[in-house]
Amino acid sequence: ADNGTSGFAVFNGNPANGNWQLFIVDDLAGDTGTVQGWSLAISTDPLPTNSLSVANTASIAIPTVGTATPYPATINVANAQGTISGMSVTLKGLSHTFSADLDIMLVSPSGAHAMLMSDVGAGSDFSNTDITFSMDALASMGPAANASGTYLPTHPNIGDSMPAPAPVDNGV
């Protein structure tokens, strides 16, 4: 199982330009939620390192069960120089009444992908929570992770099935 230690490494060395996709699925019935927007912060090489931040402020609706609307949410990155050397993803205003139901995957323009979170937080709620996933974070999300903060991508169980057009989860 990937506890987040590899996470964003799948993106390193790839170009940043193009459409990034965020796939969100609620995999068990009974709870709904929203994300009030999301953003990418990307660092690129070669030196001098370039940094850019791009956001999508549109709301994402999470249904009782199934795929969020829109599915996927997208951000277009343009004019990035070099290749990715570091990144983070922030979910703004995440609200959901049973966090373990959520599977959230990031897919790059090249098709590289990483599960940001899946099967975490037990039955805890997210209430207007800002969560940043970063390769520089100090900890993964825990069994009761519902606080705003910065975390490693956290995916304790590989093999989550997400509907197309999301790629097949390969455990990273």
Side-chain angles (χ1 to χ4, degrees), residues 3 17 25 45 56 59 78 80 84 96 150 171-172:
N3 65 1
N17 292 323
V25 171
D45 282 335
N56 179 338
S59 182
I84 297 169
H96 194 274
T150 301
V172 290

Side-chain angles (χ1 to χ4, degrees), residues 39-42 51-55 75 77 88:
S39 62
L40 292 171
I42 299 173
S51 295
L52 63 109
S53 183
V54 186
I75 287 179
V77 173
S88 64

Side-chain angles (χ1 to χ4, degrees), residues 7 14 16 24-25 37 49 51-52 61-63 72 111 120 123 126-127 143 150 158:
N14 288 312
I24 301 176
V25 171
T49 299
S51 295
L52 63 109
I62 304 169
V120 297
F126 289 112
S127 180
T150 301
I158 62 170

Side-chain angles (χ1 to χ4, degrees), residues 104-132:
I104 303 176
M105 177 186 285
L106 179 68
V107 180
S108 74
S110 70
H113 58 279
M115 192 69 79
L116 299 180
M117 66 176 272
S118 176
D119 307 319
V120 297
S124 62
D125 295 351
F126 289 112
S127 180
N128 200 31
T129 305
D130 295 340
I131 299 204
T132 297

Side-chain angles (χ1 to χ4, degrees), residues 15-163:
N17 292 323
N19 284 323
W20 287 79
Q21 300 174 315
L22 185 72
F23 292 91
I24 301 176
V25 171
D26 183 322
D27 60 12
L28 289 173
D31 305 283
T32 63
T34 58
V35 177
Q36 297 303 319
W38 65 291
S39 62
L40 292 171
I42 299 173
S43 298
T44 59
D45 282 335
L47 294 175
T49 299
N50 299 297
S51 295
L52 63 109
S53 183
V54 186
N56 179 338
T57 58
S59 182
I60 302 168
I62 304 169
T64 300
V65 66
T67 61
T69 302
Y71 185 82
T74 60
I75 287 179
N76 184 272
V77 173
N79 302 316
Q81 304 294 315
T83 59
I84 297 169
S85 59
M87 66 182 308
S88 64
V89 176
T90 300
L91 305 178
K92 298 291 286 179
L94 171 62
S95 294
H96 194 274
T97 52
F98 201 88
S99 59
D101 289 358
L102 296 177
D103 296 331
I104 303 176
M105 177 186 285
L106 179 68
V107 180
S108 74
S110 70
H113 58 279
M115 192 69 79
L116 299 180
M117 66 176 272
S118 176
D119 307 319
V120 297
S124 62
D125 295 351
F126 289 112
S127 180
N128 200 31
T129 305
D130 295 340
I131 299 204
T132 297
F133 297 96
S134 172
M135 60 185 4
D136 297 326
L138 299 178
S140 299
M141 297 181 94
N146 59 4
S148 291
T150 301
Y151 302 95
L152 291 165
T154 307
H155 183 208
N157 303 310
I158 62 170
D160 288 303
S161 177
M162 298 183 77

